[in-house]
Amino acid sequence: MAETAIPSDPSPAAPDPAGASAETYVVGVDYGTLSGRAVVVRVRDGAELASATFEYPHAVVDRTLPGTGERLPADWALQVPSDYVDVLKNAVPEALRASGVDPAAVVGIGTDFTACTMVPTTADGTPLNELDRFADRPHAFVKLWRHHAAQGQADRINELAASRGESWLPRYGGLISSEWEFAKGLQLLEEDPEVYAATEHWVEAADWIVWQLSGRYVRNACTAGYKGIYQDGEYPSREFLAALNPDFADFAETKVVHEIGALGDVAGTLRAEAAGWTGLPEGIAVAVGNVDAHVTAPAAKATQPGQMVAIMGTSTCHVMNGDKLAEVPGMCGVVDGGIVDGLYGYEAGQSGVGDIFAWYVKNQVPQSSVDAAAAAGKSVHQHLTDLAYEQPVGAHGLVALDWHSGNRSVLVDHELSGVIVGQTLSTTPEEGYRALLEATAFGTRRIVQAFEESGVPVTEFIAAGGLLKNAHLMQTYSDVLRLPISTITSEQGPALGSAIHAAVAAGAYPDIRSAAEAMGSVDRATYVPDEAAADAYDALYAEYLLLHDWFGRGGNDVMHRLRAMRREATRASSGPSANAESARGTDALEQDATASATSDAGVTA
Amino acid sequence: MAETAIPSDPSPAAPDPAGASAETYVVGVDYGTLSGRAVVVRVRDGAELASATFEYPHAVVDRTLPGTGERLPADWALQVPSDYVDVLKNAVPEALRASGVDPAAVVGIGTDFTACTMVPTTADGTPLNELDRFADRPHAFVKLWRHHAAQGQADRINELAASRGESWLPRYGGLISSEWEFAKGLQLLEEDPEVYAATEHWVEAADWIVWQLSGRYVRNACTAGYKGIYQDGEYPSREFLAALNPDFADFAETKVVHEIGALGDVAGTLRAEAAGWTGLPEGIAVAVGNVDAHVTAPAAKATQPGQMVAIMGTSTCHVMNGDKLAEVPGMCGVVDGGIVDGLYGYEAGQSGVGDIFAWYVKNQVPQSSVDAAAAAGKSVHQHLTDLAYEQPVGAHGLVALDWHSGNRSVLVDHELSGVIVGQTLSTTPEEGYRALLEATAFGTRRIVQAFEESGVPVTEFIAAGGLLKNAHLMQTYSDVLRLPISTITSEQGPALGSAIHAAVAAGAYPDIRSAAEAMGSVDRATYVPDEAAADAYDALYAEYLLLHDWFGRGGNDVMHRLRAMRREATRASSGPSANAESARGTDALEQDATASATSDAGVTA
């Protein structure tokens, strides 16, 4: 399953004037939704020597349980933890071999993971699905970030927290996600009390993989804060949890509480078995775990307050450090040390970005455009973009809302949906496409605006992720935001970010900031605003805002009603053809859920 | 240019027990935007024996003037009157020959035309473009219904009429169209006073063709009322016209006023030269002219109050008789004897129907759907329809506004545009298609509602036109309207309607009503409402109405602003690529205009 390893530009075989024997290296491993990618990085300057990816054998378990074939309910998404270990066994040695680096020169390993992805384990970290007695129990498997079957539990958490005025609620923009630790844990309790009882640790996969590498369980500050409701040194209270369900009262203290590790700290050293898996030397530093989006910030040298990093792919995740604590309405969360130790880490996001463009190209673009793209030797995305941008701003007469996958920030409402206004009989496929590109830029501006209105100004916007390659899109973001757009240099930002954390854990740099300076890399102000275009976009953004508030803040709750109607229609249908329909409807809702996730921020377009 | 003539089912060669010599026939000629169609019809029962079409050699003159090659401005649309005569010379003899009918057995000819299509003529009916001195003057040509360059004049007419409280204004739902006689006439005066001065009659093409056939100029009551602001025996006053432009003061009395002919009356008899063109006997009855949509009502036996006929094609025109005069907000017009003499004829319409579906299929449907349609041996339209209707109502989670070509009724606003709400990453091409089908049904319901609220109840809905062939669409209309849908039997309703008028003019029937009973034909209640579906559609219609009123009545004028932005952006752009853009923009606006017309109601899908 290992894909071909890719040697990168700076060849280690080239003579090194400083003496090759002095060079040290680190390995970063980025765990995505479907695969893990390992990259070998030079400590001195962050040069990426080679990388390799390994696809999880079980991918996402969202239809039938491995082994038993049991059909899973809608909205479930599981994974198999041994797949994560397989990445260590395959991608790491592959990348190492392709790099030509002497394993003895590797001084540390760092990892980042999707989140919130939860592993129920025994006291020694054994995943419960690996116990014979639980091998046939869905709840014993890993609940992937995009497992959305705990919405009922999340709703109850939110309702109760709001009614009790829990102080942590505003830290999450007012809403806890069904994807997070407590909602998923409550679902586990209520649907499979036996597996719940056997769960001695409720572990983020980000920490579980570090546990496998180092033999030590350390809870990273990032997921503890963003996903585990760990604020000001505390989890939600026993009283709060008991009010949700009496049997849940001790959930935090018995299954969640654990030693917290700051980002960049060393969690432990590589144990012998893991050294065997990876081909790396036993005893090298293993960094505290981290999350894919957050780890990208240092890879883009964005460790100062006001530097917003947007990881733009299928969805977009925005992370930014701040030197003070503020409550930003509709943000995903603010966590002390959540991105860089010593600063408040803010997170926001857009549920669908590249996913929306991909949906459009798959579903709403005719063959004539596909043929024209082929004739021009371009991707359909690029062809539509180039055509659409032959026109000046506003010439398409369209404005769209980018909510096809819901709104993660600032409305925090996954029942919202897409809108396009202004279509005429002369509207072309490329015009519709551009309206969607612009809508995502407007969505970002709305988020930046929320930060600024809350006293957390955004001074630089740094783009990372697969959408970087669309220059017109980047220019649009610059014009719409009226900000220079800097761009990350690395094509594998998360893996490089993990390598940076490994270097700090190995003691090669005193802290993430100095490591980022040496190893990270960014092109400053790759795009700068065009005044005339920015003026024109202001007018379109004003229209976006009117629609945003009307459809999103109760002016017209049509989207919620349509969503309810859709569920009702799908549920109510019966008979053979209706059953087929119903199955289809389930898939459809599942697919929505996929894209509305808060992690896997999309390093691919 | 004549297409192959098509003999129809009932063969005249078959022995007629009643005696073939006793059979009589009439010819109906339907003048569309691009061609004329002649049909030979048996007087006794309306059987269509054969038809033939002839495409206008000059089609629509909207780019360069014939002869000179002069480039026409945007929004212009002219025609060449000799093309209309060519239809008489080609399609009529072709149809006659194909029918096998002895020309001596033909007792009358009737015609219907697009409207408002205006011919400037001398006193004897010679079109001014046929005079050498005006052959190079655009204003000397026919202004086709979809000539939209008189919008400035229309705006002034509406503003002045509203401020003066002109009593005729409410008869047109509050707005006079730029397509109609007075706006076009005022444009002629102000842009080419010399041609204006030479215009001795400002003649509807519907009447001009009758003039050619019979040698008599008779103004038909239908266009005089709907397009000529002829109400209660009067045109707009001299004072009103003088206030628009002093030189326009005598426009009505010198160029418009003329003998009015009731529908179904004989305008005159076929003159020798026209007999030569057509191969029909000199001296047979020539019926008073009529309009394509309105003439379809008797072809569908819809001559009673409350029977609404919808001619559903590229756009939809709704015509209905009423026994009293009411002011229906947003209707196109109400005219005494406008459809059938002795009743008030009401007209309303939807600017885009089949046009919207065609736009969607051309611009928003991927190759995968096209391939699947081909594999299933269906048209793309049928394939999308069939797929979409496998789901119950509301399962797509979408609601759309059918304003891609503006709104003709009840908002009367061609600056409005299309909207779709509710798209998710799982929305399929066929779901979007169905949402548009439904939107047009909701648009019709809104019109029916306006009639009912104004005391003109709709008791039966009779569908005609090319969209009839989509059974799911028809069922949707029945469910949405909660009315049985009857369907016209003839595939060439307008031409049959003209033939019915010819039969009345020839004295074969005492009036249109009795002729329609004998010759028209309709399948009653082909579709009846499904209660459960109707209930579900009620919920979607409620959403449609909310969007309709917010976007259409000033809640959010975004569509007007987007349209203005579009014009501005296209105008402002300069440089070579921008010029290309500008040319494209012009075409785009033209294309919009095409579809927003009030005539050519679309007998084709």
PDB file of all heavy atoms in Angstrom, chain B residues 419-432:
ATOM      1  N   VAL B 419     -32.375  32.254  -8.547  1.00  0.00           N
ATOM      2  CA  VAL B 419     -31.819  31.919  -7.232  1.00  0.00           C
ATOM      3  C   VAL B 419     -31.996  30.428  -7.016  1.00  0.00           C
ATOM      4  O   VAL B 419     -33.013  29.863  -7.421  1.00  0.00           O
ATOM      5  CB  VAL B 419     -32.576  32.647  -6.096  1.00  0.00           C
ATOM      6  CG1 VAL B 419     -32.114  32.141  -4.731  1.00  0.00           C
ATOM      7  CG2 VAL B 419     -32.397  34.144  -6.194  1.00  0.00           C
ATOM      8  N   ILE B 420     -31.009  29.828  -6.388  1.00  0.00           N
ATOM      9  CA  ILE B 420     -31.232  28.475  -5.875  1.00  0.00           C
ATOM     10  C   ILE B 420     -30.678  28.417  -4.462  1.00  0.00           C
ATOM     11  O   ILE B 420     -29.589  28.926  -4.191  1.00  0.00           O
ATOM     12  CB  ILE B 420     -30.692  27.375  -6.807  1.00  0.00           C
ATOM     13  CG1 ILE B 420     -31.068  25.990  -6.274  1.00  0.00           C
ATOM     14  CG2 ILE B 420     -29.211  27.498  -7.058  1.00  0.00           C
ATOM     15  CD1 ILE B 420     -31.081  24.922  -7.343  1.00  0.00           C
ATOM     16  N   VAL B 421     -31.479  27.872  -3.570  1.00  0.00           N
ATOM     17  CA  VAL B 421     -31.129  27.796  -2.152  1.00  0.00           C
ATOM     18  C   VAL B 421     -31.136  26.334  -1.720  1.00  0.00           C
ATOM     19  O   VAL B 421     -32.047  25.601  -2.079  1.00  0.00           O
ATOM     20  CB  VAL B 421     -32.154  28.578  -1.290  1.00  0.00           C
ATOM     21  CG1 VAL B 421     -31.876  28.391   0.192  1.00  0.00           C
ATOM     22  CG2 VAL B 421     -32.155  30.052  -1.664  1.00  0.00           C
ATOM     23  N   GLY B 422     -30.129  25.956  -0.954  1.00  0.00           N
ATOM     24  CA  GLY B 422     -30.159  24.630  -0.336  1.00  0.00           C
ATOM     25  C   GLY B 422     -29.164  23.633  -0.889  1.00  0.00           C
ATOM     26  O   GLY B 422     -29.190  22.467  -0.501  1.00  0.00           O
ATOM     27  N   GLN B 423     -28.277  24.067  -1.766  1.00  0.00           N
ATOM     28  CA  GLN B 423     -27.314  23.122  -2.331  1.00  0.00           C
ATOM     29  C   GLN B 423     -26.339  22.628  -1.271  1.00  0.00           C
ATOM     30  O   GLN B 423     -25.863  23.392  -0.436  1.00  0.00           O
ATOM     31  CB  GLN B 423     -26.529  23.791  -3.462  1.00  0.00           C
ATOM     32  CG  GLN B 423     -27.401  24.061  -4.678  1.00  0.00           C
ATOM     33  CD  GLN B 423     -26.680  24.863  -5.734  1.00  0.00           C
ATOM     34  OE1 GLN B 423     -25.946  25.788  -5.406  1.00  0.00           O
ATOM     35  NE2 GLN B 423     -26.883  24.523  -6.987  1.00  0.00           N
ATOM     36  N   THR B 424     -26.072  21.323  -1.314  1.00  0.00           N
ATOM     37  CA  THR B 424     -25.055  20.732  -0.449  1.00  0.00           C
ATOM     38  C   THR B 424     -24.083  19.982  -1.345  1.00  0.00           C
ATOM     39  O   THR B 424     -24.274  19.907  -2.561  1.00  0.00           O
ATOM     40  CB  THR B 424     -25.669  19.739   0.558  1.00  0.00           C
ATOM     41  OG1 THR B 424     -26.067  18.569  -0.166  1.00  0.00           O
ATOM     42  CG2 THR B 424     -26.863  20.322   1.276  1.00  0.00           C
ATOM     43  N   LEU B 425     -23.072  19.411  -0.725  1.00  0.00           N
ATOM     44  CA  LEU B 425     -22.083  18.664  -1.502  1.00  0.00           C
ATOM     45  C   LEU B 425     -22.680  17.390  -2.084  1.00  0.00           C
ATOM     46  O   LEU B 425     -22.055  16.735  -2.911  1.00  0.00           O
ATOM     47  CB  LEU B 425     -20.875  18.331  -0.622  1.00  0.00           C
ATOM     48  CG  LEU B 425     -20.111  19.565  -0.134  1.00  0.00           C
ATOM     49  CD1 LEU B 425     -18.977  19.143   0.798  1.00  0.00           C
ATOM     50  CD2 LEU B 425     -19.566  20.366  -1.305  1.00  0.00           C
ATOM     51  N   SER B 426     -23.888  17.031  -1.667  1.00  0.00           N
ATOM     52  CA  SER B 426     -24.504  15.835  -2.221  1.00  0.00           C
ATOM     53  C   SER B 426     -25.610  16.172  -3.212  1.00  0.00           C
ATOM     54  O   SER B 426     -26.290  15.280  -3.711  1.00  0.00           O
ATOM     55  CB  SER B 426     -25.050  14.951  -1.104  1.00  0.00           C
ATOM     56  OG  SER B 426     -26.136  15.578  -0.481  1.00  0.00           O
ATOM     57  N   THR B 427     -25.810  17.447  -3.501  1.00  0.00           N
ATOM     58  CA  THR B 427     -26.838  17.830  -4.467  1.00  0.00           C
ATOM     59  C   THR B 427     -26.439  17.352  -5.864  1.00  0.00           C
ATOM     60  O   THR B 427     -25.341  17.634  -6.328  1.00  0.00           O
ATOM     61  CB  THR B 427     -27.032  19.352  -4.464  1.00  0.00           C
ATOM     62  OG1 THR B 427     -27.420  19.771  -3.155  1.00  0.00           O
ATOM     63  CG2 THR B 427     -28.098  19.764  -5.465  1.00  0.00           C
ATOM     64  N   THR B 428     -27.342  16.657  -6.499  1.00  0.00           N
ATOM     65  CA  THR B 428     -27.048  16.092  -7.816  1.00  0.00           C
ATOM     66  C   THR B 428     -27.571  17.009  -8.924  1.00  0.00           C
ATOM     67  O   THR B 428     -28.429  17.868  -8.684  1.00  0.00           O
ATOM     68  CB  THR B 428     -27.726  14.719  -7.963  1.00  0.00           C
ATOM     69  OG1 THR B 428     -29.146  14.901  -7.845  1.00  0.00           O
ATOM     70  CG2 THR B 428     -27.255  13.747  -6.887  1.00  0.00           C
ATOM     71  N   PRO B 429     -27.067  16.811 -10.143  1.00  0.00           N
ATOM     72  CA  PRO B 429     -27.565  17.611 -11.273  1.00  0.00           C
ATOM     73  C   PRO B 429     -29.078  17.486 -11.442  1.00  0.00           C
ATOM     74  O   PRO B 429     -29.752  18.479 -11.710  1.00  0.00           O
ATOM     75  CB  PRO B 429     -26.833  17.028 -12.481  1.00  0.00           C
ATOM     76  CG  PRO B 429     -25.606  16.380 -11.927  1.00  0.00           C
ATOM     77  CD  PRO B 429     -25.975  15.905 -10.548  1.00  0.00           C
ATOM     78  N   GLU B 430     -29.604  16.283 -11.247  1.00  0.00           N
ATOM     79  CA  GLU B 430     -31.038  16.111 -11.455  1.00  0.00           C
ATOM     80  C   GLU B 430     -31.860  16.778 -10.358  1.00  0.00           C
ATOM     81  O   GLU B 430     -32.988  17.216 -10.593  1.00  0.00           O
ATOM     82  CB  GLU B 430     -31.414  14.622 -11.585  1.00  0.00           C
ATOM     83  CG  GLU B 430     -31.082  13.753 -10.380  1.00  0.00           C
ATOM     84  CD  GLU B 430     -29.678  13.146 -10.466  1.00  0.00           C
ATOM     85  OE1 GLU B 430     -28.848  13.665 -11.248  1.00  0.00           O
ATOM     86  OE2 GLU B 430     -29.417  12.153  -9.751  1.00  0.00           O
ATOM     87  N   GLU B 431     -31.278  16.880  -9.175  1.00  0.00           N
ATOM     88  CA  GLU B 431     -32.010  17.578  -8.108  1.00  0.00           C
ATOM     89  C   GLU B 431     -32.120  19.069  -8.422  1.00  0.00           C
ATOM     90  O   GLU B 431     -33.163  19.689  -8.214  1.00  0.00           O
ATOM     91  CB  GLU B 431     -31.323  17.346  -6.766  1.00  0.00           C
ATOM     92  CG  GLU B 431     -31.502  15.917  -6.262  1.00  0.00           C
ATOM     93  CD  GLU B 431     -30.761  15.622  -4.968  1.00  0.00           C
ATOM     94  OE1 GLU B 431     -29.717  16.267  -4.708  1.00  0.00           O
ATOM     95  OE2 GLU B 431     -31.200  14.728  -4.230  1.00  0.00           O
ATOM     96  N   GLY B 432     -31.037  19.646  -8.916  1.00  0.00           N
ATOM     97  CA  GLY B 432     -31.090  21.057  -9.326  1.00  0.00           C
ATOM     98  C   GLY B 432     -32.103  21.262 -10.441  1.00  0.00           C
ATOM     99  O   GLY B 432     -32.844  22.257 -10.451  1.00  0.00           O
TER     100      GLY B 432
END
